Amino acid sequence: MSKKDPTDKTARDTHYATLRRQVRDAKRERGEIPTPAPQKRRNAGDWTPPQLAPEQVFLYGLHTVRAAIDNPQRKLIKLSVTQNALARLELASPEALDCPVEIVAPQEIDRQLGPDAIHQGVMLETRPLPVRRLEALTDTPLLLVLDQVTDPHNVGAIMRSAVAFEAGAVITTQRHSPTESGVLAKSASGALELIPYIQVTNLADALGELHKLGFQTIGLDSEGPAPLEGTFAGEKVALVLGSEGKGLRQKTRETVTALARLDMPGAIKSLNVSNAAAIALYASRQHLSKIAR
């Protein structure tokens, strides 16, 4: 019986490298370790974004694309994927997808998304998700409202926290807010497929509708008159967060049920809007769980 050459470590090293990469990627997707900042490649300044049709959305990244494939409301057009990434997607049967599957080189995806996109060898062309309306909200005691938060990375991170704390929807404005895109979806790491993203024309009117539905709307403000945990009242809460720089607009301040602050004992008294959203969602869940007892 022949034995393998003990000096040949290629297969074994490749196997262990694959396992290490899978563990590392899983930790990043769970937020346990940070995703490395994208490194600009040569000739990055020479790349020109392709012109997209109004109904054309490109999603990328393993977790994002897999979540989109698993979403029955997502219309799939074409999956472009490297051979290695296809294996890591762990699809039961790629041939059963409702769209063509094209095996490509990473450089072909780079040409579409640009040299800075961390696509992990997979890109999915899709149609935008169906438009959501306030009337379509499921029965939920917790909502998140964004007053012109413009950075898609922040909105994506907020979506992920909203799903983690079982918020019923993320509501934002049609103007000065990110539309559905690959950057937003990648930052949300699958959460875009799991929570309604409702864009409204007039935020003050939308807050009025929420009041009619029984929601207490609480605007977060660093100068709020009371701490958030002492502001809760009732069985339905809609947290309202302002833009990264200006915070809540004056009209929004006048419309919400109450203004509240997050008290922080440290030297820094303000947080990134996505961090503030996560803390406020946790506090809201604590309040709602006490009422439910």
Side-chain angles (χ1 to χ4, degrees), residues 84-192:
N84 181 51
L86 181 61
R88 296 171 68 193
L89 275 175
E90 297 182 346
L91 299 174
S93 176
E95 296 80 11
L97 286 182
D98 294 332
C99 70
V101 178
E102 182 180 5
I103 304 300
V104 299
Q107 294 78 9
E108 295 182 56
I109 301 179
D110 289 343
R111 282 195 286 271
Q112 175 66 42
L113 300 178
D116 292 339
I118 305 177
H119 52 71
Q120 299 175 291
V122 58
M123 177 181 72
L124 180 65
E125 181 181 350
T126 78
R127 295 286 181 259
L129 287 169
V131 174
R132 317 290 182 90
R133 306 290 184 188
L134 285 179
E135 309 87 71
L137 280 176
T138 57
D139 187 20
T140 175
L142 182 59
L143 297 173
L144 203 55
V145 182
L146 306 180
D147 185 10
Q148 296 190 349
V149 177
T150 58
D151 188 339
H153 297 91
N154 279 335
V155 175
I158 288 170
M159 277 188 175
R160 185 166 180 167
S161 295
V163 170
F165 289 103
E166 291 190 324
V170 174
I171 301 168
T172 188
T173 55
Q174 287 184 348
R175 297 184 61 192
H176 306 293
S177 296
T179 57
E180 187 177 333
S181 68
V183 174
L184 174 63
K186 185 68 164 62
S187 301
S189 191
L192 179 62

Side-chain angles (χ1 to χ4, degrees), residues 134 137 143 145 171 203-219 233 235-240 251-259:
L134 285 179
L137 280 176
L143 297 173
V145 182
I171 301 168
L203 188 59
D205 289 347
L207 292 174
E209 290 297 317
L210 295 181
H211 293 157
K212 293 177 183 178
L213 293 173
F215 282 91
Q216 178 196 22
T217 56
I218 304 177
E235 300 178 353
K236 292 185 174 184
V237 176
L239 298 168
V240 188
K251 181 65 173 176
T252 305
R253 292 167 179 268
E254 296 170 354
T255 307
V256 295
T257 308
L259 292 171

Side-chain angles (χ1 to χ4, degrees), residues 228-252:
L228 176 62
E229 56 268 30
T231 305
F232 294 118
E235 300 178 353
K236 292 185 174 184
V237 176
L239 298 168
V240 188
L241 291 92
S243 65
E244 295 89 343
K246 299 178 181 179
L248 297 173
R249 291 176 294 167
Q250 185 60 36
K251 181 65 173 176
T252 305

Side-chain angles (χ1 to χ4, degrees), residues 59-81:
L59 306 179
Y60 56 89
L62 289 167
H63 197 69
T64 301
V65 168
R66 182 55 197 260
I69 290 173
D70 291 341
N71 183 1
Q73 294 187 315
R74 176 69 73 174
K75 173 66 176 176
L76 312 181
I77 303 302
K78 185 174 74 170
L79 176 64
S80 301
V81 61

